[in-house]
Amino acid sequence: MDPISAALLVALVSGAGGAAGTQAWAALGELVRRPFRRADQVPSGEPVPALRELEALEGSPRDTGRAQALADVLQRRAVHDPDFARSLTAWLVEAKAVPTGSGDVHNTVSGGSQGNVLQVRDLHGSVTFGAPPAPDAGTAGRTD
């Protein structure tokens, strides 16, 4: 299973990603509140792992230490609860697709003339500066 980023947890609990982020955070809360089952599929009767950490992060949504503690206990719970691990993996795939603002690009251009400058985050397609190249003088006008 991929590691869970504390930054992703902080972004989601803080409301990043709008409705999609809110839904992802609610889905994690529902997942954490499921009864804890060990690999033998018998409810353990133990306190629900990660619930305390989830609630602590909800109380201090910008606390990266609490976010990391939640990430760590989620990973540990997944090791002991195969159903939880499958559900957490599916949740993580969905949560990573939420546009949380992480990965923003912050460029600074300073000084004199820089020539061509392009500032983007995600680029899909081609970029052209200036006019297309002139046709080769030796082939211009040929029709063979």
Side-chain angles (χ1 to χ4, degrees):
M1 186 175 129
D2 289 343
I4 299 169
S5 159
L8 174 64
L9 294 174
V10 166
L12 294 176
V13 73
S14 300
T22 300
Q23 289 173 348
W25 184 256
L28 180 61
E30 290 172 17
L31 179 60
V32 165
R33 288 175 175 87
R34 290 183 188 171
F36 177 48
R37 296 179 178 269
R38 293 209 177 268
D40 59 11
Q41 298 300 310
V42 176
S44 69
E46 298 172 24
V48 177
L51 184 57
R52 183 175 41 128
E53 291 81 4
L54 179 91
E55 291 171 347
L57 183 56
E58 287 174 338
S60 298
R62 300 265 180 215
D63 188 329
T64 56
R66 290 181 185 208
Q68 188 59 57
L70 175 58
D72 292 344
V73 76
L74 290 171
Q75 294 284 135
R76 286 193 304 271
R77 181 174 173 182
V79 168
H80 298 290
D81 185 341
D83 287 339
F84 180 80
R86 283 187 288 279
S87 296
L88 185 61
T89 298
W91 174 85
L92 186 56
V93 168
E94 295 292 324
K96 284 181 175 179
V98 173
T100 61
S102 61
D104 288 351
V105 174
H106 302 279
N107 295 317
T108 302
V109 178
S110 62
S113 174
Q114 302 295 319
N116 295 328
V117 175
L118 176 66
Q119 293 181 316
V120 298
R121 176 178 165 196
D122 298 321
L123 180 63
H124 305 283
S126 50
V127 174
T128 302
F129 288 100
D136 181 23
T139 60
R142 291 179 51 187
T143 58
D144 51 16

